[in-house]
Amino acid sequence: ASMLRETFPKQVRVSTKLAEEVPRVHADPNQLHQAILNLAVNARDAMPQGGVLTLGTDVVSAETLRAKFPEAPNGSYAELCVADTGAGMDVETRQRIFEPFFTTKGAKGQGLGLAVVYGIVNSHRGYVDVESEIGKGTTFRIYIEVPDASADAPDIPSRARRKSSRQSTAPAKDVSGERATILFVEDEETLLSPIREFLEEEG
């Protein structure tokens, strides 16, 4: 929030709505930071005349989450929320926002920001949900499972892979040992470095 206040236009007001006690989760903080940053940049772009960007945290139960993700296992989930008061999206756009290279920004967008968010959440076996209406803003919510405090820390890589939204995704190809080149183009300086580091960490 502090970084966004310093870098975003002054007409975009950054507020927080944080739960007092949010339990720890097994996650890569740099990747979650990247996901939140991508959502925040999109929110900023949706409010060219200004508005309110709200960052929030909460804890929800599996019963609550199953209203949208019936396959969610028992337990509790940490929620990260990024909401804006911008232009909003119609149903057709919402159904495609996580597709790589799909963008509503014309020549100004590459369509990778939300695809990266989807990939990060998916790699954490989490869930991502979006609510939006034309003229009423957009709210993204990321849910990460809270580990059972009474059990040993779970071996995350060995757990069954869960989808982070209702759309299907192809399993990631293991490129270890292979030579591969990825060309990443991004004119948003705040996105360039973290995404480059993320790609390099993945080999």
Side-chain angles (χ1 to χ4, degrees):
S2 298
M3 183 190 71
L4 297 179
R5 291 189 183 105
E6 293 173 1
T7 57
F8 278 12
K10 297 303 180 185
Q11 62 264 34
V12 175
R13 183 165 62 88
V14 179
S15 67
T16 56
K17 188 177 181 181
L18 309 177
E20 290 187 3
E21 294 185 13
V22 178
R24 291 177 179 269
V25 296
H26 292 287
D28 183 324
N30 292 325
Q31 290 188 24
L32 290 186
H33 181 271
Q34 181 62 56
I36 295 171
L37 183 60
N38 285 21
L39 294 174
V41 168
N42 273 16
R44 178 204 64 188
D45 293 345
M47 300 184 291
Q49 307 304 318
V52 180
L53 168 63
T54 303
L55 305 177
T57 60
D58 205 351
V59 182
V60 300
S61 66
E63 289 74 15
T64 300
L65 194 57
R66 286 194 193 111
K68 293 188 176 180
F69 302 99
E71 73 277 16
N74 289 331
S76 58
Y77 293 79
E79 175 190 296
L80 297 169
C81 175
V82 179
D84 67 64
T85 58
M89 297 178 283
D90 58 26
V91 175
E92 182 180 351
T93 301
R94 289 201 309 270
Q95 291 174 343
R96 300 190 61 192
I97 55 174
F98 294 115
E99 295 178 14
F101 308 112
F102 174 76
T103 178
T104 60
K105 301 177 185 179
K108 295 182 179 180
Q110 288 83 38
L112 291 173
L114 291 180
V116 169
V117 172
Y118 183 92
I120 290 173
V121 176
N122 207 33
S123 71
H124 286 79
R125 282 70 173 175
Y127 302 89
V128 56
D129 183 52
V130 58
E131 297 175 0
S132 184
E133 287 186 48
I134 294 293
K136 295 186 178 180
T138 301
T139 300
F140 283 91
R141 289 185 174 87
I142 294 172
Y143 301 97
I144 306 292
E145 186 175 7
V146 175
D148 185 353
S150 64
D152 292 334
D155 181 12
I156 293 180
S158 69
R159 293 165 58 190
R161 185 177 181 83
R162 296 204 301 268
K163 297 176 183 177
S164 65
S165 83
R166 283 162 282 189
Q167 69 184 99
S168 61
T169 57
K173 180 184 177 184
D174 183 5
V175 296
S176 58
E178 298 182 18
R179 287 188 61 84
T181 300
I182 296 176
L183 173 63
F184 174 61
V185 181
E186 175 57 68
D187 62 356
E188 191 74 48
E189 189 64 33
T190 54
L191 296 179
L192 179 62
S193 179
I195 296 180
R196 181 183 62 202
E197 291 176 5
F198 166 72
L199 292 172
E200 289 173 348
E201 288 173 0
E202 295 299 317

mmCIF file of all heavy atoms in Angstrom, residues 105-110:
data_model
loop_
_atom_site.group_PDB
_atom_site.id
_atom_site.type_symbol
_atom_site.label_atom_id
_atom_site.label_comp_id
_atom_site.label_asym_id
_atom_site.label_seq_id
_atom_site.Cartn_x
_atom_site.Cartn_y
_atom_site.Cartn_z
ATOM 1 N N LYS A 105 -7.051 -3.362 -23.151
ATOM 2 C CA LYS A 105 -6.350 -2.081 -23.203
ATOM 3 C C LYS A 105 -5.847 -1.739 -24.595
ATOM 4 O O LYS A 105 -5.098 -0.781 -24.758
ATOM 5 C CB LYS A 105 -5.168 -2.101 -22.229
ATOM 6 C CG LYS A 105 -5.575 -2.353 -20.784
ATOM 7 C CD LYS A 105 -4.356 -2.439 -19.884
ATOM 8 C CE LYS A 105 -4.748 -2.806 -18.469
ATOM 9 N NZ LYS A 105 -3.563 -2.916 -17.580
ATOM 10 N N GLY A 106 -6.220 -2.522 -25.593
ATOM 11 C CA GLY A 106 -5.760 -2.244 -26.950
ATOM 12 C C GLY A 106 -4.260 -2.389 -27.065
ATOM 13 O O GLY A 106 -3.658 -3.287 -26.500
ATOM 14 N N ALA A 107 -3.624 -1.468 -27.799
ATOM 15 C CA ALA A 107 -2.180 -1.542 -28.026
ATOM 16 C C ALA A 107 -1.386 -1.285 -26.754
ATOM 17 O O ALA A 107 -0.190 -1.583 -26.698
ATOM 18 C CB ALA A 107 -1.778 -0.524 -29.094
ATOM 19 N N LYS A 108 -2.030 -0.766 -25.722
ATOM 20 C CA LYS A 108 -1.317 -0.452 -24.479
ATOM 21 C C LYS A 108 -1.133 -1.662 -23.582
ATOM 22 O O LYS A 108 -0.391 -1.605 -22.605
ATOM 23 C CB LYS A 108 -2.064 0.643 -23.702
ATOM 24 C CG LYS A 108 -2.102 1.987 -24.412
ATOM 25 C CD LYS A 108 -2.814 3.022 -23.552
ATOM 26 C CE LYS A 108 -2.834 4.386 -24.238
ATOM 27 N NZ LYS A 108 -3.520 5.396 -23.404
ATOM 28 N N GLY A 109 -1.829 -2.769 -23.868
ATOM 29 C CA GLY A 109 -1.739 -3.926 -22.987
ATOM 30 C C GLY A 109 -1.210 -5.151 -23.693
ATOM 31 O O GLY A 109 -1.389 -5.325 -24.900
ATOM 32 N N GLN A 110 -0.507 -6.002 -22.922
ATOM 33 C CA GLN A 110 0.007 -7.256 -23.475
ATOM 34 C C GLN A 110 -0.850 -8.455 -23.090
ATOM 35 O O GLN A 110 -0.665 -9.543 -23.612
ATOM 36 C CB GLN A 110 1.450 -7.505 -23.001
ATOM 37 C CG GLN A 110 2.478 -6.576 -23.637
ATOM 38 C CD GLN A 110 2.556 -5.241 -22.926
ATOM 39 O OE1 GLN A 110 2.460 -5.183 -21.705
ATOM 40 N NE2 GLN A 110 2.706 -4.167 -23.677
#
